[in-house]
Amino acid sequence: MTKLGTVLGFLIKDAPVKDAPPLNQARLVADALADIRDMDREHFVVFYLNARSQVIASYTVSVGTLSASLVHPREVFKGAILRNAAAIIVAHNHPSGNIEASPEDRDCTRRLAQAGTLLGIPLLDHVIVGAMSAEYTSFKERGLMPCS
């Protein structure tokens, strides 16, 4: 098998979803981020969802610095296309513990929502979790999701 075939096979070969519960609430997304909540650098994660909002796969797109993470729509949607995802949810941690959305977070969300609209793979929410706390911010719950 060629290197490209190996990479593509790796990216799209995920465990079957079967009767997984839907990831349809920001609290469930925040709970799924327990392993990155207290990391000392920002981790930007994407959840790939099927048409029933069940998680097909999740992927850490970027590990950044103490206060920033580089995220490009190309990297976020590559896995969604290869997995035939119906939608995505993105999330990241704020090592500072402050769960408020920064201007950079808002800009990133706007760009991802635009790309998702163009590709027909909607961005359903962007969730931010903070260190040492169960609190979170949901762009959807706060009415911060861009209109597509």
Side-chain angles (χ1 to χ4, degrees):
M1 183 180 279
T2 67
K3 278 188 175 184
L4 178 60
T6 301
V7 170
L8 291 176
F10 173 75
L11 284 174
I12 61 174
K13 191 173 185 179
D14 297 310
V17 177
K18 297 187 182 177
D19 295 323
L23 191 65
N24 56 8
Q25 297 173 21
R27 165 54 49 209
L28 297 174
V29 175
D31 291 346
L33 298 171
D35 57 335
I36 70 162
R37 182 178 294 282
D38 297 324
M39 296 287 191
D40 64 347
R41 294 181 290 162
E42 282 196 10
H43 287 65
F44 194 94
V45 177
V46 59
F47 294 94
Y48 304 113
L49 308 176
N50 65 16
R52 296 187 315 184
S53 296
Q54 295 168 307
V55 177
I56 299 168
S58 63
Y59 178 67
T60 301
V61 174
S62 174
V63 177
T65 65
L66 179 65
S67 61
S69 184
L70 293 175
V71 177
H72 193 280
R74 170 181 57 243
E75 300 304 319
V76 171
F77 285 98
K78 177 171 60 176
I81 292 167
L82 291 172
R83 289 179 173 87
N84 294 317
I88 65 167
I89 294 174
V90 297
H92 74 282
N93 65 316
H94 277 179
S96 68
N98 179 358
I99 59 169
E100 295 304 314
S102 69
E104 293 81 9
D105 294 335
R106 291 173 189 242
D107 183 56
C108 174
T109 304
R110 180 188 52 76
R111 287 185 299 115
L112 291 175
Q114 288 173 339
T117 298
L118 181 67
L119 293 169
I121 305 171
L123 171 64
L124 301 181
D125 201 354
H126 183 167
V127 177
I128 301 170
V129 297
M132 306 298 187
S133 169
E135 293 182 13
Y136 65 92
T137 291
S138 162
F139 276 60
K140 182 178 178 182
E141 289 179 357
R142 293 209 177 168
L144 299 174
M145 286 301 294
C147 297
S148 305

